[in-house]
């Protein structure tokens, strides 16, 4: 039951994996305000007011995106009715030309067809009933599967879906569609960290400890993550390391997070400059108009603390008010830096030898592999001074428990993981942590910072190409048998592993890019919660593949760039309009609660999947419930006994724990004996344990998730990025986020306050580079790679290396940086190398240069006609 106006509902932010606690208080709507008004905005009945809650991850803070999150609910172009290409409709299904039924009233129109584009996509998207839309989708899917086989239908999902929707989507793909071809955009986010943690620890949970544990650390090594802009409320958990002089940030840019390492007493101010100010204020209180200010309270990112003292004899002693160390390596050389740090730890006798002997295997091979990475060699590869490498290694060792320190953490983010050697880099980070004796000790460890809101839960329950619910491997006979029993199907009927995301996208279309027919390629794609046109690497090629499909179906709530290419668009509910669960970056399972009614005819994906299953003649024994609590109970049974065991959880238990002020429940949470409702699911606790499992906030305290309980140390080596600089592309490009926008920007570009703060894409370049290539500050600059080109405004800054440019990835069209990124992938994880490629940098001369190619501006494609 939805809350009445003025009644607060506890829930969580719709954006990143920090999943900040917030309360939503619906406002009373004006009469008739739940339909499009004169302004064109859709005012959702009971539009909620957002206030932060004192939740462990955000402790009462919110970033600007969180403060303004409710605005997206009433976006002017919110999709509120199903849309289908007119050319796909029979005469009897054509909409009327009334004011409410025309394509124009839905915010869509078509361009003239003066290209060879498929004529059906020149046809406009028009509003239809749910029955018509679902009949079109089911009919086309059934025909394609019958003519070409089930593998010709594919599914691409998103890391923002609730656990319930992610689970049901995986079940639908494998039992109704019977296709192996399902993957999700978490392959762009956590794949390398997952592969590295599974290989070393036997379990993948981004943070195997509560985020709040970081607060007691003496040192934190943060590689490839700009927390101050991507997750501003998380910065407060670094205050202890900053006070001890132990925050180490590895980033080619002096990002807002890297600025936190600066010494305020020496003239540098942590968070100095516009980016730093924004980061410092990200958890500030809203201004007089109820909107977040650009600068918040100074305490939000922690105050300078006492002198950070190194352990005697290590040479890692802080000075004055120093906050830490910023290392700025050549892009793509983070792995070499980690190998050098481990070399110093071993060469100077700083390793925890007792821990290594008792809790790890493979140490000797790793020790031999890093012997050749002495600091001076690392300096020649990475540009990081040898003395700085020694300083950081000693600082980390001083903080390790073996040397009497209060704790140390090694954390990785997308900046080092989105690489063709991403899994190797994560493995090197884990090796360093293991050598210092950190994982499996309270107050120390290794972790990967999950990005997307449900990036953790989304990969645990069936969206990944090779996984079944509970983080089971799909090619494991025991896992197949267990999950098939819960679903009520024959294990032999379940398909095997599918293609990881980049390979899946490359395989789309009945005709290969070279024009050769390929009958086994996917001809239809269902997209849930992802904007591939903006977020996929080598995006121009992806757009071509999407256009080559016989059927593209997109579930979304706004007309994203991917929805603009679709044959069918199905309107779905948003975060504040639905019930469910999410799993935070620390493995904490939390409740998402509905506060307001969805506008128009928007429906949950659970309802959509159930309706499609019925139309596709799914067996009656195959259940597709639409109540999220019922779906979660099934998910819990399917996960029982797996690494990500949710069998001891339910919506009711999560609600009760929160109501009682409990600490939250972290997986695994196995069901006690006698408490598993499905007799086919075996108990997973000892016979003597019949009380509810309390959850597992900290993994690996007694053993790792490997068969022998020991962590695996694996030797790796640095080889460099796939797209190295060269005469025709002499500059490195790195990509990333800005505070005000999220992912492809489909949501945040529709929030006026955020759009006003950062309204257009830009390219950061060092003044020295600007002088050298003739690009003045504020000029229009073009980046060209082997895959495409992109244009944006140049911003001079000394916060980026002279050999490197930085560009955020939140924009489409000529400002879409993924038009130039490479789709080369890590051989183990399948993660693309978003974070580094080689480009040419040149000024755009408006008098002589034609506009840069924009894949969405080609003739014959739909364009938005919106009055924003």
């Amino acid at each position: 039951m939805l809350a009445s106006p003025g009644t607060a509902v506890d829930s969580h932010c719709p954006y990143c994996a920090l999943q900040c606690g917030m309360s939503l208080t619906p406002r009373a709507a004006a009469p008739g305000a739940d339909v499009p008004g004169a302004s064109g905005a859709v005012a959702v009945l009971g539009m909620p007011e957002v206030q932060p809650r004192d939740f462990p991850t955000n402790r009462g803070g919110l970033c600007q995106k969180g403060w303004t999150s409710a605005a997206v609910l009433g976006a002017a172009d919110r999709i509120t009715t199903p849309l289908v290409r007119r050319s796909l409709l029979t005469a009897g299904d054509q909409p009327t030309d009334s004011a409410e039924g025309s394509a124009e009233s839905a915010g869509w129109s078509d361009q003239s067809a003066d290209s060879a584009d498929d004529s059906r996509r020149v046809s406009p998207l028009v509003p239809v009933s749910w029955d018509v839309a679902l009949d079109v989708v089911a009919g086309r899917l059934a025909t394609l599967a019958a003519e070409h086989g089930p593998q010709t239908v594919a599914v691409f999902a998103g890391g923002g879906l609730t656990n319930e929707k992610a689970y049901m989507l995986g079940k639908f793909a494998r039992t109704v569609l019977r296709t192996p071809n399902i993957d999700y955009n978490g392959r762009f986010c956590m794949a390398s960290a997952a592969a590295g943690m599974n290989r070393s620890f036997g379990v993948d949970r981004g943070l195997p400890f509560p985020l709040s544990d970081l607060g007691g650390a003496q040192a934190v090594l943060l590689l490839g993550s700009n927390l101050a802009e991507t997750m501003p409320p998380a910065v407060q958990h670094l205050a202890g390391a900053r006070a001890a002089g132990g925050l180490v940030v590895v980033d080619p840019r002096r990002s807002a997070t890297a600025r936190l390492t600066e010494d305020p007493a020496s003239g540098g101010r942590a968070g100095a400059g516009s980016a730093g100010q924004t980061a410092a204020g990200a958890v500030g209180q809203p201004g007089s108009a109820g909107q977040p200010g650009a600068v918040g309270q100074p305490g939000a990112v922690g105050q300078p603390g006492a002198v950070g003292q190194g352990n005697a004899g290590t040479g890692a002693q802080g000075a004055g008010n120093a906050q830490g160390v910023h290392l700025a390596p050549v892009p793509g050389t983070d792995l070499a830096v980690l190998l050098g740090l481990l070399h110093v730890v071993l060469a100077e006798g700083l390793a925890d030898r007792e821990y290594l002997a008792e809790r790890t295997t493979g140490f000797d091979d790793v020790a031999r592999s890093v012997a050749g990475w002495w600091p001076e060699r690392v300096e020649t590869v990475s540009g990081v001074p040898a003395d700085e490498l020694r300083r950081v290694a000693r600082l980390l060792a001083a903080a390790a428990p073996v040397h009497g320190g209060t704790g140390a953490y090694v954390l990785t983010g997308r900046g080092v993981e989105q690489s063709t050697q991403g899994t190797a880099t994560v493995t090197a980070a884990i090796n360093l942590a293991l050598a210092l004796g950190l994982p499996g000790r309270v107050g120390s460890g290794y972790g990967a910072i999950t990005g997307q809101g449900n990036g953790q839960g989304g990969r645990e329950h069936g969206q990944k190409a090779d996984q079944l619910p509970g983080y089971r491997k799909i090619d494991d006979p025991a896992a197949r048998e267990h999950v098939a029993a819960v679903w009520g199907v024959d294990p032999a009927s379940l398909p095997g592993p599918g293609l990881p995301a980049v390979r899946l996208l490359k395989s789309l279309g009945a005709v290969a890019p070279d024009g050769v027919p390929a009958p086994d390629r996917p001809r239809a794609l269902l997209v849930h919660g992802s904007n591939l046109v903006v977020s996929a690497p080598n995006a121009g090629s992806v757009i071509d593949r999407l256009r080559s499909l016989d059927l593209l179906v997109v579930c979304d709530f706004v007309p994203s760039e991917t929805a603009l290419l679709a044959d069918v668009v199905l309107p779905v509910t948003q975060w504040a309009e639905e019930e469910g669960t999410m799993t935070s970056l620390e493995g904490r399972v939390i409740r998402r609660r509905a506060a307001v009614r969805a506008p128009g005819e928007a429906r949950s994906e659970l309802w959509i999947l159930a309706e499609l299953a019925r139309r596709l003649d799914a067996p009656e024994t195959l259940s597709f419930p639409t109540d999220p609590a019922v779906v979660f109970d099934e998910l819990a049974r399917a996960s029982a006994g797996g690494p990500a065991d949710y069998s001891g959880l339910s919506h009711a238990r999560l609600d009760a724990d929160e109501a009682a002020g409990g600490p939250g429940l972290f997986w695994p949470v196995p069901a006690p004996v006698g408490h598993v409702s499905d007799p086919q699911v075996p108990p997973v606790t000892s016979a003597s344990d019949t009380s509810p499992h309390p959850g597992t906030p900290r993994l690996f305290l007694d053993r790792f998730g490997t068969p022998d309980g020991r962590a695996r140390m694996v030797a790796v080596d640095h080889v460099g990025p796939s797209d190295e600089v060269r005469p025709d592309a002499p500059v490195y490009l790195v990509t990333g986020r800005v505070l005000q926008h999220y992912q492809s920007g489909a949501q945040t570009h529709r929030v006026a306050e955020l759009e006003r703060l950062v309204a257009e894409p830009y390219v950061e370049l060092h003044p020295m580079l600007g002088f050298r290539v003739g690009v003045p500050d504020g000029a229009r600059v073009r980046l060209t790679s082997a895959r495409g080109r992109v244009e944006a405004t140049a911003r001079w800054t000394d916060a980026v290396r002279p050999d490197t440019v930085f560009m955020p990835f939140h924009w489409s069209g000529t400002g879409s940086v993924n038009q130039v990124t490479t789709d080369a992938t890590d051989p183990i994880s399948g993660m693309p190398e978003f974070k580094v490629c080689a480009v040419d940098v040149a000024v755009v001369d408006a008098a002589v240069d034609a506009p840069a190619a924009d894949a969405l501006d080609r003739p014959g494609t739909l364009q938005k006609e919106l009055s924003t």
Side-chain angles (χ1 to χ4, degrees), residues 515-738:
V516 177
D520 292 335
R521 296 166 66 94
R523 293 168 174 255
L525 180 68
L526 310 182
V527 178
H528 295 257
S530 185
N531 189 9
L532 290 165
V533 166
V534 180
S535 62
N538 193 6
S541 173
V542 171
I543 293 169
D544 289 339
R545 291 294 86 214
L546 293 177
R547 281 205 178 97
S548 73
L549 290 165
D550 291 353
L551 179 69
L552 175 60
V553 181
V554 174
C555 286
D556 214 328
F557 50 88
V558 293
S560 68
E561 289 78 3
T562 305
L564 287 169
L565 295 180
D567 299 296
V568 180
V569 182
L570 302 178
V572 293
T573 52
Q574 286 198 64
W575 58 287
E577 302 159 353
E578 62 186 14
E579 296 284 328
T581 61
M582 308 284 277
T583 304
S584 74
L585 76 169
E586 52 191 355
R588 188 194 309 256
V589 186
I590 57 178
R591 283 278 280 117
R592 171 177 284 185
R593 296 184 178 88
V596 296
R597 185 176 69 244
E601 298 180 47
R603 299 287 186 270
S604 167
E605 280 96 334
L606 296 180
W607 181 85
I608 294 171
L609 295 175
E611 289 295 309
L612 285 176
R614 180 172 62 82
R615 285 170 168 79
L616 291 168
D617 297 324
E620 292 184 2
T621 56
L622 198 57
S623 172
F624 283 88
T626 59
D627 182 339
V630 175
V631 174
F632 187 90
D633 289 343
E634 183 182 311
L635 176 160
R637 295 194 301 274
S639 73
D645 189 336
Y646 286 33
S647 62
L649 293 175
S650 65
H651 280 203
R653 185 178 179 195
L654 291 168
D655 289 342
D657 177 79
E658 187 172 312
L665 294 159
F666 301 75
W667 69 258
V669 190
V673 171
H675 287 232
V676 180
S677 59
D678 190 334
Q680 294 176 312
V681 178
V684 293
T685 54
S686 66
S688 61
D689 184 5
T690 59
S691 60
H693 193 282
T696 315
R698 298 172 184 85
L699 295 174
F700 315 138
L701 296 182
D702 300 316
R703 67 189 314 276
F704 292 96
T706 57
D708 63 2
R710 291 170 175 255
R712 304 282 188 261
M713 298 186 75
V714 180
V716 293
D717 201 11
H718 169 75
V719 295
S722 64
D723 193 22
E724 190 57 271
V725 292
R726 53 193 181 274
D728 64 328
V731 178
Y732 292 105
L733 165 68
V734 297
T735 68
R737 302 183 187 180
V738 299

Side-chain angles (χ1 to χ4, degrees), residues 103 200 359 462 631 777 855:
S200 296
R359 303 209 60 186
V631 174
D777 185 28

Side-chain angles (χ1 to χ4, degrees), residues 5 82 86 117-118 132 192 342 454 491 511 525 609 717 746 814 833:
R86 188 185 290 275
D117 252 24
D118 187 337
V132 169
S192 292
L342 182 54
N454 203 29
V511 177
L525 180 68
L609 295 175
D717 201 11
T814 55
E833 192 160 51

